[in-house]
Amino acid sequence: KLVFYRDNWYLAALCHNTGILKPFSLDRLEQVEKLEQVCERVAVELLDTQLFASFGIFSGEVQATAILQVNPEAARWIADEIWHPQQVGEWQADGSYRLAIPYGNPTELVGEILRRGAAVTVLEPESLRGMVKERLTAALACYS
């Protein structure tokens, strides 16, 4: 299945090396050759479950749900964004916005949170909060 995601094309396919379904970035393919063997068909439902069930292009199966607190200034914009089809958002009494996002591989989600700076705080799970904190600490060390 070809997937267009964030201005890039990916081929969702079975990896012959690992035996798992995953997305391959078309712009990173260095060598392509036509094989005589017939490709193995994969049900669309299986692709959707294994590749698109959680946040991001390299998502995999849902491992956890991120609970994010968005400050009132950024909430007006982030509340209108679709980070994932299964996300759940809720306005808070103080004007902030709480967003729950299912995710598997946290790499892209951490990057998206960091891109928002102080506007987004990870409330749960602690493991995701720790990853964001580590990245922020490392970035701050570059300016010491």
Side-chain angles (χ1 to χ4, degrees):
K1 179 176 182 176
L2 285 174
V3 178
F4 189 68
Y5 178 76
R6 293 192 171 192
D7 298 326
N8 291 303
W9 282 100
Y10 295 87
L11 173 64
L14 183 67
C15 176
H16 294 286
N17 292 331
T18 63
I20 60 173
L21 290 169
K22 65 182 194 177
F24 296 89
S25 181
L26 293 184
D27 67 341
R28 299 295 299 157
L29 296 178
E30 295 177 2
Q31 183 179 1
V32 179
E33 63 183 79
K34 183 178 178 183
L35 301 176
E36 294 303 320
Q37 76 187 74
V38 178
C39 70
E40 187 176 323
R41 292 198 176 268
V42 177
V44 174
E45 296 80 15
L46 183 60
L47 279 172
D48 289 343
T49 300
Q50 292 193 3
L51 294 177
F52 309 115
S54 60
F55 180 85
I57 192 65
F58 302 104
S59 63
E61 293 182 23
V62 174
Q63 301 297 318
T65 299
I67 307 297
L68 309 177
Q69 186 75 24
V70 182
N71 72 18
E73 294 94 36
R76 296 180 294 170
W77 289 277
I78 292 178
D80 290 336
E81 295 177 6
I82 305 297
W83 290 30
H84 188 272
Q86 303 302 317
Q87 72 186 34
V88 176
E90 182 180 341
W91 286 99
Q92 304 298 298
D94 64 356
S96 65
Y97 191 70
R98 192 161 291 172
L99 186 59
I101 301 170
Y103 71 95
N105 182 330
T107 305
E108 190 176 349
L109 181 57
V110 168
E112 190 66 32
I113 293 164
L114 291 171
R115 189 171 80 79
R116 307 308 174 121
V120 175
T121 302
V122 177
L123 300 180
E124 295 175 25
E126 189 58 42
S127 59
L128 180 64
R129 186 175 170 89
M131 285 182 224
V132 172
K133 185 177 178 180
E134 284 176 19
R135 295 275 302 272
L136 288 170
T137 301
L140 185 59
C142 294
Y143 295 95
S144 295

